[in-house]
Amino acid sequence: MAYEAKQPIYLPLTDFMNLEFHLMDTRPGVKPDAFVTELVQRWLAVEMDRLATLRNGRSTRGFQWKNVFLPDGSKLRTSYRNTHEFAKVVGDRILSETGESLTPSLFANRHTTGRNAWRFVWLRFPGDDHWIRAADCRTRLATRQIHSAKLDANH
């Protein structure tokens, strides 16, 4: 294992103990420092995406999935038998962690068949810090489009 320089971060003792006991119950073997490091790395990645989006605006490149546009930098997640897989929109393609070009259906069905990608793929758009099921995203978008059309018809 390579040497990694570390800097201490101080937490109130009660918070540290609560975290340690919680990890013992929910994630045996995971140490608080490793957990906090992973948490900070995830938070930084989301914040850096959000800041880049604020500075540069939304991407015009991306992947069009029926009526849902996945801008460049969008992340996709699916799971099968407790194994989570991730992919990312790069340019106008969806790429697996190994660099394989995928469609949403291929991504959802990499280890099985017959799965509806809208139900089994979760999305996280650049600048967002939460995941949304693709089907819910599609429904929200359709609802907004219907509402917008009604507003246009009334004017």
Side-chain angles (χ1 to χ4, degrees):
M1 178 185 246
Y3 170 77
E4 184 177 29
K6 294 189 177 196
Q7 173 67 38
I9 303 264
Y10 299 100
L11 296 174
L13 186 57
T14 54
D15 292 338
F16 180 81
M17 296 303 292
N18 286 335
L19 174 62
E20 191 165 34
F21 289 136
H22 179 73
L23 289 174
M24 288 166 72
D25 288 342
T26 60
R27 297 182 183 191
V30 175
K31 300 295 181 196
D33 59 335
F35 180 79
V36 170
T37 298
E38 180 183 341
L39 213 61
V40 169
Q41 289 170 345
R42 286 185 188 179
W43 178 82
L44 272 175
V46 168
E47 281 298 299
M48 290 167 69
D49 278 350
R50 186 185 65 75
L51 186 58
T53 300
L54 286 174
R55 285 185 181 156
N56 306 327
R58 292 251 181 227
S59 175
T60 56
R61 298 208 50 177
F63 184 88
Q64 187 69 47
W65 182 13
K66 305 273 184 178
N67 65 329
V68 176
F69 181 69
L70 306 176
D72 186 28
S74 297
K75 294 182 173 78
L76 292 82
R77 180 184 78 199
T78 192
S79 62
Y80 180 73
R81 295 190 178 185
N82 297 323
T83 300
H84 298 283
E85 288 198 57
F86 297 89
K88 186 174 184 176
V89 176
V90 178
D92 58 357
R93 299 185 312 157
I94 297 172
L95 299 179
S96 71
E97 291 176 304
T98 60
E100 178 184 0
S101 187
L102 302 166
T103 64
S105 182
L106 286 172
F107 181 58
N109 289 288
R110 284 171 59 101
H111 301 290
T112 188
T113 59
R115 290 172 31 144
N116 182 322
W118 292 107
R119 290 183 47 221
F120 288 96
V121 172
W122 291 73
L123 306 170
R124 191 170 87 196
F125 295 99
D128 288 352
D129 59 352
H130 62 278
W131 292 91
I132 181 170
R133 183 183 299 218
D136 296 339
C137 181
R138 180 172 66 165
T139 301
R140 286 182 190 174
L141 182 62
T143 302
R144 268 191 244 139
Q145 289 171 341
I146 290 169
H147 182 69
S148 179
K150 285 181 182 178
L151 289 175
D152 289 344
N154 291 333
H155 287 103

